[in-house]
Amino acid sequence: MRDEPTSGHDFATWAPLDSDGWYAARDATTALRDVLVRAGLEKDFPYLRADLNAFGHGLVELGRVSPDTAERLAELLRLALACGLGADRDVSEAAQTTTNEHKGRTSCHD
């Protein structure tokens, strides 16, 4: 353990900024935050943050939400799916579509 060779790499000096996982988690968190703002849910996800586990894998922490927030998010996802949200649609366009529908508009934008 203590006397084992480290091959010249001291794992105690590892930093999150050296990890691609951190940047992926940060970028995904930023994208999700922007969509939540457009959907009017920015205050409903107080624990949203980028994180990194001990293995350097990036994670997005959504945290706890109220039952009302979970139901609203589920409804927005249902609306997005009904509008044909898929891999070929831009996420920000889909967020605007679901936001408009939440405000009482019922059409999907292509």
Side-chain angles (χ1 to χ4, degrees):
M1 300 266 231
R2 186 172 145 162
D3 298 326
E4 291 180 17
T6 60
S7 304
H9 189 296
D10 182 3
F11 289 102
T13 63
W14 175 84
L17 297 179
D18 295 335
S19 170
D20 290 336
W22 165 248
Y23 291 102
R26 185 191 65 179
D27 292 345
T29 300
T30 300
L32 182 56
R33 179 204 61 203
D34 293 347
V35 171
L36 290 170
V37 167
R38 291 184 73 179
L41 291 168
E42 68 274 8
K43 293 182 180 180
D44 298 314
F45 286 83
Y47 300 101
L48 178 66
R49 67 185 178 111
D51 202 355
L52 199 63
N53 69 12
F55 303 102
H57 301 163
L59 303 168
V60 176
E61 175 71 39
L62 298 177
R64 297 170 294 193
V65 298
S66 70
D68 289 340
T69 298
E71 287 187 20
R72 185 166 176 212
L73 181 60
E75 181 60 23
L76 288 170
L77 290 170
R78 276 192 292 275
L79 290 169
L81 291 171
C83 287
L85 176 64
D88 58 336
R89 278 194 68 187
D90 181 70
V91 173
S92 62
E93 177 187 340
Q96 184 61 47
T97 298
T98 57
T99 301
N100 289 341
E101 289 176 350
H102 182 72
K103 292 179 181 175
R105 298 179 193 136
T106 58
S107 64
C108 296
H109 300 283
D110 290 320

